[in-house]
Amino acid sequence: MKLYDSKMAPNPRRVRIFLAEKGIQVPDDQVDLAKAQNRSPEFLKINPMGGVPVLQMDDGTNLAESVAICRYFEETHPEPRLMGIDARDKAVVEMWQRRMELNLFSTVTGCFRNTSEFFKGRIPQVPEYGEVCRQAAEKAFGMVDGFLADRKFIAGERYTIADITALVAVDFAKLIKLRVSPEQKNLARWHEAVSSRPSAKA
Ligand SMILES: N[C@@H](CCC(=O)N[C@@H](CS)C(=O)NCC(=O)O)C(=O)O
């Protein structure tokens, strides 16, 4: 088994943090995104979508999509539970995970993809759309600050995959010059707590 990874990119970091929380070690193969190795014919055979991470299993299965990879490890290594405990809790965690992915993570990365030098010439960029994403990301920071007013973590009192997605999004937002503001006290408190976990170094 090996993980096609990139230390510079946010999606693989989600999987690395997830693995670190569970104490799982998987050998990695660093994909050079700067050199567009992920768009080479060889890599497209592994993941036709051209993205990292990809978990290559011993039977040859190539599993892409960060949350699908996390789901696999949640099933094979259930503890600590990061995707919920019973039916209700699993659904609640998934709701928050999707909210963090759709409203926070995707808007931050959407801004980066459409405005950064890194993606210039690599994908069709629409800078105006990037700005729309930036505003949506700013709004999402405020919303998450509000959500955290009455609970310790994004999905409740337990650390879950929703915190991982949100942490990676907030950290990656520095690249679009968006930071937690001093008024966002709940978000700042949460960010400090999740950043101080050893897994955050992953
Ligand atoms: N939906 C996929 C997204 C994968 C993805 O877009 N990965 C980015 C890194 S964060 C990538 O490979 N970007 C390189 C590129 O688009 O050239 C997931 O959840 O893993």
Side-chain angles (χ1 to χ4, degrees):
M1 179 179 282
K2 73 173 164 183
L3 185 70
Y4 289 97
D5 185 9
S6 162
K7 288 276 178 332
M8 69 191 289
N11 274 299
R13 184 172 177 229
R14 291 204 281 168
V15 172
R16 290 198 307 273
I17 294 177
F18 194 92
L19 290 172
E21 286 285 338
K22 286 190 179 278
I24 305 170
Q25 284 176 355
V26 178
D28 67 287
D29 195 335
Q30 292 295 312
V31 177
D32 193 337
L33 301 184
K35 290 195 178 138
Q37 195 189 337
N38 58 311
R39 290 163 194 269
S40 66
E42 295 76 34
F43 191 81
L44 292 175
K45 281 189 206 138
I46 294 164
N47 180 10
M49 309 310 287
V52 284
V54 179
L55 180 71
Q56 189 163 72
M57 297 177 177
D58 292 339
D59 70 355
T61 303
N62 288 312
L63 184 66
E65 300 301 327
S66 302
V67 178
I69 297 170
C70 292
R71 166 58 64 197
Y72 175 73
F73 287 115
E74 181 82 352
E75 299 299 322
T76 57
H77 298 69
E79 298 297 335
R81 300 276 177 172
L82 296 173
M83 298 178 89
I85 295 165
D86 56 18
R88 177 198 154 280
D89 190 45
K90 284 179 182 172
V92 168
V93 171
E94 182 156 340
M95 172 179 78
W96 284 106
Q97 147 57 29
R98 284 182 67 76
R99 284 177 173 167
M100 292 306 108
E101 182 157 310
L102 296 171
N103 297 285
L104 183 62
F105 190 94
S106 297
T107 54
V108 170
T109 55
C111 177
F112 183 75
R113 290 176 75 87
N114 282 280
T115 59
S116 67
E117 281 299 313
F118 182 83
F119 275 105
K120 203 165 265 179
R122 211 173 273 260
I123 58 165
Q125 288 184 306
V126 182
E128 295 80 5
Y129 178 64
E131 287 309 317
V132 170
C133 287
R134 181 192 308 280
Q135 283 168 27
E138 267 181 49
K139 193 172 160 204
F141 267 48
M143 279 169 60
V144 177
D145 179 59
F147 297 147
L148 286 165
D150 63 355
R151 68 189 97 135
K152 199 165 165 193
F153 295 110
I154 301 284
E157 295 309 305
R158 289 168 62 97
Y159 179 93
T160 68
I161 188 171
D163 295 288
I164 297 175
T165 296
L167 169 65
V168 173
V170 168
D171 286 349
F172 196 69
K174 283 180 201 139
L175 272 74
I176 61 163
K177 300 191 170 43
L178 178 59
R179 288 187 164 79
V180 179
S181 81
E183 299 84 62
Q184 293 171 332
K185 293 204 179 344
N186 306 314
L187 186 57
R189 181 257 308 151
W190 164 87
H191 186 247
E192 200 177 313
V194 291
S195 300
S196 67
R197 298 170 80 92
S199 64
K201 294 191 178 68

